[in-house]
Amino acid sequence: KRRGRQLKRLVKVSQTFVAVACVGVFFNAGVSSAAQNLCVNPSNTPHCYATIQDAVDHAKSNAVITVVAGTFHENVAINTGASPKNLSLVIQGAGVGNTIVDGGALDSVFNVGPKATLTLSKMTIQNGERSGSQELGGGVRSLATKTTIENCLVTDNSVPDGGGGGVGVEAGSLTISNSTLSDNSALGGGGGLFFATTSSKT
């Protein structure tokens, strides 16, 4: 009888342990979420996108987009649609002078809409132009976003009627580190930087 009781206890303990272990596995599966890694390489590299915009359009939140060395003639739009989503992105080049994103004087080089958290790193951002009345941000236009620019060169961007030839931020936050803003222009002031209703760190 004593042996039978011991076996019953062992069975109960084993069942309890299995149940706890299963709960632990369930919670771990729900918590872990690996960052999405995307690459941009126009040289027909497998699993890479040809343009930065393509990679952005396929990115989920918490994505890291690595851009190879080269000149990309693009005007990249991030979260600019009618229904912006919470999106956190890192776009990282191969270094200033190696990865160059050129706006072709057609629009802002990077135009970032609400609810985004964006880090731009290790690239040159040049030749953007934001046209229109009282516009802002020829190189980087940031609207209600959290934007970080690190290890970048922002140069030769302009806003003919407005502010922030290099970088313009409205109703958001901006952090700039180890970066150079040079030879940007804006008719309304703030050739390098323009802030409108925003907190800023440089």
Side-chain angles (χ1 to χ4, degrees), residues 116-188:
T117 299
L118 175 67
T119 297
L120 299 171
S121 178
K122 298 180 181 180
M123 66 180 69
T124 297
I125 300 168
Q126 67 180 32
N127 201 21
E129 182 176 307
R130 185 72 183 179
S131 300
S133 177
Q134 297 183 344
E135 278 288 355
L136 72 154
V140 179
R141 179 179 184 264
S142 178
L143 175 61
T145 73
K146 183 179 180 181
T147 302
T148 299
I149 300 172
E150 58 184 25
N151 302 305
C152 288
L153 170 63
V154 183
T155 186
D156 291 323
N157 302 285
S158 65
V159 178
D161 183 7
V167 181
V169 182
E170 182 175 354
S173 67
L174 173 68
T175 300
I176 298 178
S177 63
N178 299 321
S179 297
T180 300
L181 279 66
S182 65
D183 299 318
N184 302 287
S185 62
L187 186 64

Side-chain angles (χ1 to χ4, degrees), residues 1 30 156 193:
K1 289 182 180 179
D156 291 323
L193 289 171

Side-chain angles (χ1 to χ4, degrees), residues 25-102:
V25 171
F26 174 80
F27 281 118
N28 286 339
V31 170
S32 62
S33 58
Q36 181 189 28
N37 293 299
L38 305 175
C39 57
V40 178
N41 189 337
S43 300
N44 296 319
T45 301
H47 310 298
C48 285
Y49 294 95
T51 67
I52 300 171
Q53 186 67 67
D54 283 344
V56 167
D57 291 343
H58 288 87
K60 299 176 183 178
S61 193
N62 199 30
V64 177
I65 299 173
T66 302
V67 186
V68 298
T71 300
F72 296 81
H73 296 278
E74 296 194 51
N75 305 97
V76 182
I78 301 168
N79 257 22
T80 57
S83 301
K85 56 186 178 180
N86 292 317
L87 184 64
S88 178
L89 289 180
V90 175
I91 304 177
Q92 179 176 293
V96 169
N98 294 321
T99 299
I100 300 169
V101 190
D102 189 303

Side-chain angles (χ1 to χ4, degrees), residues 92-115:
Q92 179 176 293
V96 169
N98 294 321
T99 299
I100 300 169
V101 190
D102 189 303
L106 299 175
D107 202 344
S108 302
V109 181
F110 289 96
N111 184 8
V112 194
K115 297 185 179 181

